[in-house]
Amino acid sequence: MNAPRTGDPAAPVNADPHRWWGLVVIALAQLMVVLDSTIVNVALPSAQEELGMTDGDRPWVITAYTLAFGGLLLLGGRIADLVGRKRTFVIGLIGFAAASALGGAAVSPGMLFGARALQGAFAAVLAPTALSLLATTFTDPRERGKAFGIFGALAGSGSVMGFIVGGLLTEYLNWRWCLYVNTPIAVLALLGAFAVLRDRPGRARARLDVPGVLLGCSGLVAIVYGFNEAESHGWTDVFVLGLLAGGVVLLAAFVWWQARAPLPLLPLHIVKDRDRAGCFLTMMLAIMGMFGLFLFMTYYFQVVLGYSPARTGLAFVPITLATVTVSTQFAARLLHHVPPRALMAPGMLLGACGMAVLTRLTVDSSYAADILPGLLLVGVGMGLTYMPVFATVTAGVAPRDSGVTSATLNTSQQVGGSIGTALLNTLATTSTAAYLTRSAQPAEVTREAVVHGYTVALWCAAGLMLLAGLATALLVTARAPKHAAPTKAPVTESVA
């Protein structure tokens, strides 16, 4: 990763001499954000036991993070425009480190949920700013491709590392270190940011769409909270229905305002494009199922099968390796020759089949025979889907819209994770309760009831994957890149 020497003909004109060290700093920050999306999963059973969380409340450890992340992601890019990228990057690092330390010191479920929400909020500032800094630091097309490749590889490996590191920290230290570990990483990135990143002034004309933030975030919170409360109140409860209806109304108001706002968070022409809309919907539905899978399998491994946290982390490695390998070695190469939906639709079908395989779980299932095949199928399916989605969403985007388009895709992932975790956890817990009610000897069938609840939720996750495949088949009509009309190369100064 050595930068070309001054005067080297390979060096871009006016290139930052510290740009490759800047890449290290930016990638380190992104790795921390990606790592945090999975590292807490393995620690969740231990945290639930120590803090006395109920089964109904436990999803908030995940959804508080993803909801704040997804709800504020579009705003994060606008903040960078307003106050400058390096300054925003530093603010994001400091805030994320402080929120992580607060979560590690949590003495109650509410304190942990609040810390996770703060983590998500600062991640929403940090993630788009990191991508923005990368795009503006590497302006030469050859170096830019290499830089984005390194950045993507590190980000892609973050989920694998999250499961492994989370398991090791939980088993050999305790679950709190899954949050504390972010602080030294953030400090290293912070020191590097001051040393090697170039500052860019904010744009005086940039404005924050405060009504858009309030309407969008309030709508999402109401829907996720409604799904979560259905576990204790029931689906027909007036309070639950009111939350869900109120969330829909607020999101409708958000769309109405975005069509009229002078500087909207989400320019509606971004989602009116048929191919992009199909990709956003596909990704949201797929991630709804994936987050549920990670939640239930974590508890299944540790609570039902008695795995240690470290062994649980290793049990998840095949699915993430399958996703990364298929995405980078197969989908990326095939995409140049076939239409995106020729990869995405079969991918979602394979994902649904993997979920269906996992619905056969029992209290004494074998990992190699009963669990691994399902995990691999889901991993291969997601690998066939990720790359075509990213390529299709960003293809032919106007320079001024490239940042907000990428942020919208990330938002669809985080929102899908929030809704999916709340919805599927409610289905699992209500199905477990119904199973126990029907049993004559509830105390003797607790584990069977829990597994039954998981399998009901996994059937629902399989259905979500099938819906994602249907959305792809009906909406995504883009041709293979080599057959598509040429598009103008994006300008590097192109962030939300």
Side-chain angles (χ1 to χ4, degrees):
M1 200 180 292
N2 294 324
R5 297 183 304 271
T6 304
D8 190 330
V13 178
N14 297 325
D16 180 2
H18 303 297
R19 61 193 178 281
W20 293 107
W21 283 111
L23 172 61
V24 173
V25 173
I26 295 167
L28 189 63
Q30 180 67 14
L31 179 65
M32 181 179 65
V33 172
V34 175
L35 193 75
D36 207 69
S37 66
T38 55
I39 194 172
V40 175
N41 278 275
V42 180
L44 189 51
S46 299
Q48 179 180 359
E49 181 179 359
E50 181 175 331
L51 298 180
M53 275 182 258
T54 65
D55 286 348
D57 285 341
R58 70 187 178 194
W60 283 107
V61 177
I62 307 300
T63 55
Y65 179 82
T66 56
L67 193 59
F69 195 175
L72 297 174
L73 195 55
L74 291 170
L75 181 63
R78 296 296 186 201
I79 293 175
D81 280 345
L82 185 64
V83 303
R85 295 187 181 94
K86 179 177 177 180
R87 187 178 301 172
T88 305
F89 187 77
V90 168
I91 292 171
L93 283 172
I94 294 173
F96 197 89
S100 298
L102 180 65
V107 295
S108 67
M111 185 175 174
L112 180 58
F113 302 156
R116 291 286 288 164
L118 282 174
Q119 276 187 298
F122 284 107
V125 172
L126 192 58
T129 310
L131 195 60
S132 168
L133 283 166
L134 188 66
T136 54
T137 298
F138 292 91
T139 55
D140 179 78
R142 294 168 298 174
E143 289 193 350
R144 196 166 185 260
K146 183 179 179 181
F148 271 89
I150 296 171
F151 181 83
L154 287 173
S157 64
S159 57
V160 180
M161 293 175 60
F163 286 122
I164 297 174
V165 173
L168 293 174
L169 289 175
T170 302
E171 182 164 353
Y172 295 108
L173 294 174
N174 61 52
W175 67 268
R176 297 178 183 277
W177 279 96
C178 292
L179 293 162
Y180 285 145
V181 71
N182 290 321
T183 302
I185 297 175
V187 170
L188 285 175
L190 188 64
L191 294 174
F194 284 120
V196 301
L197 292 183
R198 291 191 305 177
D199 205 358
R200 297 244 176 166
R203 298 177 187 173
R205 297 176 57 189
R207 295 292 183 271
L208 300 182
D209 180 15
V210 175
V213 174
L214 294 176
L215 289 171
C217 290
S218 299
L220 292 174
V221 169
I223 289 176
V224 172
Y225 190 47
F227 282 137
N228 194 71
E229 288 301 295
E231 185 268 331
S232 57
H233 292 81
W235 290 102
T236 59
D237 182 76
V238 174
F239 179 61
V240 172
L241 294 176
L243 285 170
L244 296 176
V248 171
V249 170
L250 286 168
L251 291 180
F254 170 78
V255 173
W256 174 85
W257 172 249
Q258 293 306 285
R260 291 158 179 78
L263 287 172
L265 275 180
L266 177 60
L268 293 185
H269 66 268
I270 297 293
V271 294
K272 286 181 179 179
D273 179 86
R274 179 171 177 168
D275 291 326
R276 290 192 197 101
C279 288
F280 293 146
L281 183 58
T282 297
M283 186 57 70
M284 185 175 73
L285 291 169
I287 296 299
M288 285 175 69
M290 285 296 294
F291 269 64
L293 171 70
F294 287 142
L295 176 66
F296 301 132
M297 293 307 297
T298 295
Y299 276 86
Y300 177 75
F301 285 139
Q302 294 191 42
V303 176
V304 178
L305 296 186
Y307 282 16
S308 67
R311 188 179 178 187
T312 298
L314 291 174
F316 279 118
V317 169
I319 187 174
T320 49
L321 287 180
T323 300
V324 172
T325 301
V326 172
S327 179
T328 57
Q329 301 303 314
F330 294 94
R333 298 178 182 182
L334 291 173
L335 183 61
H336 187 65
H337 304 283
V338 301
R341 67 177 175 184
L343 297 172
M344 294 162 59
M348 287 294 90
L349 181 60
L350 284 174
C353 290
M355 293 288 188
V357 168
L358 293 172
T359 61
R360 302 180 305 164
L361 294 176
T362 65
V363 295
D364 54 2
S365 291
S366 162
Y367 179 81
D370 303 319
I371 301 171
L372 183 59
L375 293 180
L376 289 176
L377 280 173
V378 174
V380 171
M382 294 304 296
L384 288 173
T385 304
Y386 275 135
M387 182 66 186
V389 164
F390 293 144
T392 304
V393 163
T394 56
V397 177
R400 67 181 182 276
D401 292 328
S402 61
V404 73
T405 301
S406 299
T408 303
L409 178 60
N410 283 317
T411 298
S412 70
Q413 293 177 266
Q414 299 300 328
V415 169
S418 301
I419 295 176
T421 303
L423 172 62
L424 296 180
N425 185 76
T426 294
L427 288 175
T429 52
T430 54
S431 297
T432 296
Y435 188 98
L436 288 172
T437 300
R438 294 193 301 268
S439 173
Q441 296 176 308
E444 297 181 6
V445 294
T446 300
R447 289 202 307 159
E448 286 84 351
V450 168
V451 174
H452 171 73
Y454 294 166
T455 58
V456 169
L458 288 171
W459 274 120
C460 183
L464 291 170
M465 292 280 189
L466 288 176
L467 285 176
L470 183 62
T472 292
L474 295 179
L475 295 175
V476 181
T477 59
R479 302 169 68 187
K482 74 173 184 177
H483 299 302
T487 58
K488 192 162 61 175
V491 177
T492 56
E493 188 73 20
S494 57
V495 288

